[in-house]
Amino acid sequence: MTNTAVRGVRWAGRARGLAVRLWTVPVVVAVWEVAARAVESVYFPPPSAILARLRELWFSGPPARLFLSDAAIADFVPSLGHLFGGWALACLGGIALGVAIGRSRTLAGYVDPLIEFGRAIPPPTLIPLFIVLFKADTRMQLATIVYGVIWPVLVNSVDGARYVDRLHIETARVFGLSRAERLVMVILPAAAPKIFAGLRLSLSLALILMVVAELVGSATSGIGYELIYTQQNFDLPGMWGTIAVLGVLGFLLNSSFLVVERRTLSWHRRAGRKG
Amino acid sequence: MLDVVNLTHTYGSGPDAHRALGGIDLKVSEGELVCVVGPSGCGKSTLLRSIAGLVRPTGGEVRVKGRPVSGTPDDLAVVFQDYSRSLFPWLSVRDNVALPLRRRGLDRAARRAAAAEALAAVSLESAAAKYPWQLSGGMQQRVAIARALAYRPSLLLMDEPFGSVDAQTREDLEDLVLAVRGHHRMTIVLITHDIDESVYVGDRVVVLTRAPAVVAADLRVDLPGPRDQIATRELPAFVHLRAEVSRLVRGRPEFGPEEFNTVPPHTTTSPLVKTPSHLTKE
Amino acid sequence: MIVSKVVRGAVGVAVLLVVAEIAGRTGLMDTQIMPLASTVLAGAAGLAVDSEFLHDASATVEVWAEGLLVATLLAVPAGVLLGSLPKVEIGLRPLIEFLRPIPSIALIPLVTLIAAGDGAMKVTIVVYAACWPVLVNTMYGLHDVDPVARDTMRAFGFGRLAVLLRVALPSAAPFVLTGVRLAASVALVVAISAELLSGGAGGIGVYIIKAGSGYRIDLMLAATVWAGLIGLVVNALLVRAERGLFRWHAARAGVAQ
């Protein structure tokens, strides 16, 4: 077989695999379209109407800007800014604290109940407090996201750092690595698989808390604001569209993080498979 | 080179306390390869970990080059039994070997060169870019040995280094240790539960009693070199000495530390075994 | 060991409270904005006998429990079905992958318009949020069934259904309960969020909003303490249930306690 033929066969195989996995998506969308047109309910607009509204709302911009309209930029930039900003802060704080707690049984003893209690508080409960403390601005958004997403990072970092193989640590000590070197070259890599699990979980939580903070804090822009705005205008295609955008966003965040995780932890995945 | 003086160690306290070491005395001079054997669970590893500064013994003293050990000595490397846990899976073979050289104050290029040289010494040049878990068990242990070699310690401790590899690999690794030892002039303390191995590899075999362990016997191995896996093991002297060590290790269950204040007389009467005079307590 | 752990934990909590108290009393922290630790604790104690708050708390717990129950009743059979019919699962997976990350809170404005009544809206939202952990864990549990046990049953001539009932379900049960435990904390978060967003007749979230509009930060914090305690108790109960019911599971999986 020629090279191109091989490639063709491989592509066909991939396409078939994709078709097997994704065939339900067009089917469900089509059924929904037909049913919605038949029922003509205001509450359940057909997908075509949702897409048209979405396009008008956010994706009518010039191609150079990936079709994003001014409204889309005005909504996405602050929302995603808060999301990533809060997530990054929580990651830094959670990893630093978590590794410190994980490496010290004494420290862990003192703070364990505080962590247990802190993570049991539903984060949205604190939003009214943050509004009073910070007014309804960026700081309130960040505080909500940081408080909400720091726990998975913290708890997983503690776990990862606590159960580093004793032999790894002893090897590092025997060969005279300094404390800082042991932290960077041994403890952090060994804890990385756990830490990454926490980071991924907290990224999806960050999306949720971003929306909650925007909804409860009555933001004046952002994806959450758009939800309230469309609701108040009884713009149901707009609401459905916004929700769909959030779903796509969550899916994209999770899958792009998975790509990064796979690359960073390739040693872990492959070492695990072998034995 | 190494002085262990009346070393005792007890794990835990109260009724659950476990006395692992009951007063060990051991002297190893420069360039010697001493094998330490003993029944399993007798505290061999505790002895090694005390020498390495990983365990702070409850009594007695360890001196390396005359200096008492506190923390891990500068000039010492360890090869652990469990290579898969002592090599870092997130580092390539080359980086695993080069990692400890940071303490030697070498720059990156010099570390790489030293790692390459050490890998060549264990015939693993070609695996430098691989990850430990891509190699077989024996190869991984060779990486661990290369890491110790690259570090250029004056004292090398090996804790059951060949306990987790198959028989054929084991023989290869034993010969590798003999070869690099001749080349690098290191002092080696090798802990093993394998009596054959201790006699084959060692200049001396130190036999420990059951826990709380003390030195039961200290035998000099006078076998002609270079040693050979088949020829050496055929020698009557080898067979005899192996039987001797075997008897000492499992020998008489009533053997307690008290009976070992003196080295048993038959070790001195054996024509093949000369107990170093400084070790015989009269 | 255990005693020293408890002592250390108590010391940790005490130190935090004392530091907060001192910071407030010395003026380091503005008590107008951040009330004294003692004020908050006293407030929390007061809430325990405050009939208005108890009414709110029971409203929250009711929505939470109802939502969790419905979610479990829906998600467990769905998970069993998907977990034992791989073809169906492959087909539905992309839909699940897309629906799962949609923040259930984002559905509140929509469901408010559609659902009949405030209570129904809240329960619907809680159900939506709580379904996913239960569904995913149930599916995972069915995948995890020991093939040797499955083959043993097959070899004795049992049919698919018997294998499902006698092997697959019991071995998936611990995973299901883990899913329920995760769903329980998600459900509490969502229930309170729904109250914060849409108000309604009662609930901890409603109480906090009212306290906030009266600028009673101490009562907001006191109610938050109770929300945390409820979460803590629910989680502890479910963890205990998991350990008690499925000790064999922990033993097999080698889970460190």
Side-chain angles (χ1 to χ4, degrees):
Chain A
M1 244 191 295
T2 64
N3 223 356
T4 39
V6 171
R7 211 171 290 154
V9 169
R10 197 175 297 154
W11 270 107
R14 259 198 212 162
R16 198 180 308 128
L18 219 59
V20 167
R21 281 192 294 133
L22 294 179
W23 66 271
T24 40
V25 177
V27 170
V28 168
V29 171
V31 168
W32 183 4
E33 180 79 35
V34 171
R37 277 170 194 263
V39 176
E40 281 189 17
S41 159
V42 204
Y43 297 112
F44 298 97
S48 54
I50 294 173
L51 275 180
R53 179 75 186 103
L54 208 52
R55 186 164 170 201
E56 182 190 343
L57 202 59
W58 278 331
F59 299 103
S60 50
R65 270 194 347 214
L66 297 167
F67 300 101
L68 292 172
S69 66
D70 292 336
I73 288 179
D75 283 333
F76 290 171
V77 169
S79 284
L80 293 178
H82 294 149
L83 188 153
F84 287 120
W87 182 64
L89 284 175
C91 291
L92 287 178
I95 294 174
L97 278 174
V99 170
I101 296 169
R103 292 313 302 165
S104 160
R105 289 224 161 254
T106 324
L107 182 58
Y110 288 120
V111 298
D112 262 352
L114 295 175
I115 293 178
E116 285 304 314
F117 184 71
R119 64 193 278 227
I121 294 176
T125 325
L126 291 167
I127 295 178
L129 176 73
F130 291 148
I131 292 176
V132 175
L133 292 182
F134 303 128
K135 310 293 173 282
D137 66 4
T138 298
R139 282 181 301 163
M140 170 284 230
Q141 307 262 0
L142 284 180
T144 308
I145 295 176
V146 169
Y147 186 87
V149 310
I150 198 170
W151 305 108
V153 184
L154 182 72
V155 171
N156 278 283
S157 304
V158 169
D159 217 34
R162 181 173 292 166
Y163 298 112
V164 175
D165 196 313
R166 199 186 62 171
L167 211 52
H168 283 337
I169 306 273
E170 290 188 342
T171 304
R173 276 177 59 197
V174 162
F175 288 109
L177 297 194
S178 67
R179 274 179 156 266
E181 284 170 335
R182 286 209 299 263
L183 178 68
V184 176
M185 324 252 342
V186 179
I187 295 171
L188 283 180
K194 281 266 177 189
I195 293 178
F196 268 86
L199 295 183
R200 186 149 52 85
L201 189 57
S202 69
L203 185 58
S204 54
L205 273 180
L207 179 70
I208 296 176
L209 286 161
M210 173 201 94
V211 177
V212 181
E214 284 173 349
L215 291 180
V216 179
S218 12
T220 48
S221 65
I223 303 174
Y225 160 78
E226 210 59 49
L227 268 178
I228 301 183
Y229 184 79
T230 49
Q231 184 203 28
Q232 283 164 351
N233 292 300
F234 211 71
D235 171 10
L236 277 139
M239 289 182 78
W240 280 95
T242 310
I243 290 168
V245 164
L246 283 170
V248 171
L249 203 55
F251 179 76
L252 286 180
L253 286 178
N254 194 48
S255 15
S256 26
F257 188 87
L258 271 177
V259 170
V260 175
E261 182 177 329
R262 289 226 173 102
R263 292 201 148 202
T264 319
L265 297 182
S266 67
W267 62 265
H268 177 67
R269 208 159 35 96
R270 285 147 73 198
R273 198 182 297 158
K274 249 200 108 180
Chain B
M1 167 57 67
L2 171 68
D3 280 291
V4 177
V5 185
N6 193 25
L7 193 73
T8 58
H9 189 72
T10 307
Y11 289 103
S13 56
D16 293 334
H18 173 65
R19 271 187 82 202
L21 304 180
I24 300 239
D25 288 288
L26 180 66
K27 250 191 207 322
V28 180
S29 17
E30 186 134 12
E32 253 187 321
L33 199 168
V34 174
C35 290
V36 177
V37 290
S40 44
C42 77
K44 298 187 293 278
S45 286
T46 308
L47 171 64
L48 179 130
R49 291 157 60 84
S50 304
I51 299 173
L54 294 169
V55 165
R56 187 185 291 271
T58 40
E61 197 180 36
V62 176
R63 284 196 297 268
V64 173
K65 285 187 182 165
R67 271 197 309 261
V69 166
S70 65
T72 53
D74 248 340
D75 222 9
L76 174 150
V78 181
V79 174
F80 292 97
Q81 171 180 6
D82 203 340
Y83 44 81
S84 64
R85 288 168 55 215
S86 101
L87 295 175
F88 301 114
W90 50 87
L91 296 180
S92 68
V93 163
R94 180 191 295 123
D95 290 343
N96 261 292
V97 175
L99 181 67
L101 300 176
R102 297 171 153 265
R103 197 186 195 177
R104 295 281 181 256
L106 300 176
D107 64 28
R108 200 178 152 78
R111 289 205 300 266
R112 289 210 149 200
E117 193 192 320
L119 283 170
V122 299
S123 340
L124 273 181
E125 310 91 315
S126 57
K130 290 195 169 152
Y131 283 86
W133 34 268
Q134 292 172 317
L135 307 178
S136 70
M139 285 161 95
Q140 289 186 49
Q141 195 58 301
R142 265 150 68 193
V143 174
I145 293 171
R147 178 170 64 183
L149 291 180
Y151 195 58
R152 294 204 180 280
S154 43
L155 178 60
L156 173 63
L157 304 181
M158 307 182 98
D159 186 4
E160 301 269 5
F162 319 128
S164 305
V165 295
D166 62 84
Q168 176 62 46
T169 311
R170 183 180 193 113
E171 294 185 352
D172 295 346
L173 288 176
E174 286 167 3
D175 288 336
L176 173 67
V177 166
L178 288 174
V180 297
R181 176 250 181 158
H183 196 254
H184 288 269
R185 297 300 306 156
M186 275 180 294
T187 311
I188 302 180
V189 175
L190 188 148
I191 286 192
T192 176
H193 65 267
D194 185 314
I195 291 157
D196 264 51
E197 179 170 290
S198 70
V199 177
Y200 178 73
V201 175
D203 298 329
R204 265 164 65 203
V205 176
V206 172
V207 183
L208 300 186
T209 62
R210 271 164 223 285
V214 297
V215 174
D218 190 333
L219 318 176
R220 179 152 298 279
V221 181
D222 274 342
L223 293 170
R227 295 185 190 174
D228 176 89
Q229 287 289 356
I230 295 165
T232 303
R233 287 175 198 265
E234 270 177 346
L235 294 174
F238 180 92
V239 176
H240 189 97
L241 191 50
R242 185 184 62 190
E244 200 69 59
V245 176
S246 201
R247 214 167 285 130
L248 282 161
V249 169
R250 66 176 98 183
R252 293 152 295 184
E254 74 274 17
F255 262 15
E258 292 76 21
E259 282 109 307
F260 275 109
N261 289 333
T262 57
V263 173
H266 60 269
T267 57
T268 45
T269 54
S270 160
L272 293 164
V273 175
K274 294 173 206 131
T275 304
S277 57
H278 66 276
L279 286 160
T280 320
K281 287 185 192 166
E282 296 297 347
Chain C
M1 285 300 272
I2 290 171
V3 172
S4 78
K5 207 182 160 194
V6 170
V7 169
R8 278 203 188 130
V11 169
V13 173
V15 165
L16 184 76
L17 290 176
V18 167
V19 167
E21 183 77 19
I22 291 174
R25 291 211 184 262
T26 54
L28 220 65
M29 220 157 56
D30 186 357
T31 47
Q32 287 295 102
I33 291 174
M34 204 63 188
L36 291 175
S38 56
T39 317
V40 173
L41 286 183
L47 288 185
V49 291
D50 181 342
S51 65
E52 189 197 342
F53 179 75
L54 288 179
H55 168 75
D56 282 323
S58 65
T60 299
V61 171
E62 202 180 300
V63 168
W64 167 81
E66 207 175 310
L68 188 62
L69 183 70
V70 175
T72 309
L73 291 179
L74 287 175
V76 173
V80 170
L81 206 65
L82 290 182
S84 44
L85 299 173
K87 284 211 176 118
V88 181
E89 192 209 318
I90 290 171
L92 290 182
R93 188 158 275 272
L95 291 181
I96 295 175
E97 292 300 319
F98 174 72
L99 289 176
R100 194 152 70 112
I102 295 180
S104 53
I105 317 264
L107 299 175
I108 292 178
L110 179 68
V111 179
T112 310
L113 292 179
I114 299 172
D118 179 62
M121 179 280 277
K122 285 175 184 161
V123 172
T124 309
I125 298 292
V126 171
V127 168
Y128 183 86
C131 261
W132 303 112
V134 182
L135 180 74
V136 170
N137 273 281
T138 307
M139 280 161 58
Y140 185 83
L142 279 156
H143 288 295
D144 193 59
V145 173
D146 188 349
V148 176
R150 195 195 296 257
D151 291 346
T152 312
M153 287 291 284
R154 282 273 178 84
F156 281 117
F158 288 91
R160 279 178 76 96
L161 192 64
V163 173
L164 183 69
L165 288 178
R166 282 164 204 275
V167 179
L169 287 186
S171 65
F175 292 93
V176 175
L177 199 55
T178 304
V180 172
R181 177 165 58 84
L182 296 176
S185 63
V186 173
L188 188 65
V189 172
V190 171
I192 292 182
S193 305
E195 292 162 3
L196 289 172
L197 258 178
S198 72
I204 295 178
V206 178
Y207 184 90
I208 289 175
I209 298 251
K210 272 190 275 181
S213 58
Y215 218 70
R216 288 295 303 272
I217 300 181
D218 56 330
L219 290 183
M220 291 169 81
L221 281 170
T224 305
V225 169
W226 277 108
L229 285 177
I230 293 173
L232 212 54
V233 167
V234 166
N235 193 53
L237 285 178
L238 285 165
V239 167
R240 181 164 284 211
E242 264 176 76
R243 286 188 190 160
L245 287 172
F246 302 120
R247 224 172 280 164
W248 51 269
H249 177 67
R252 195 192 63 170
V255 176
Q257 302 269 322

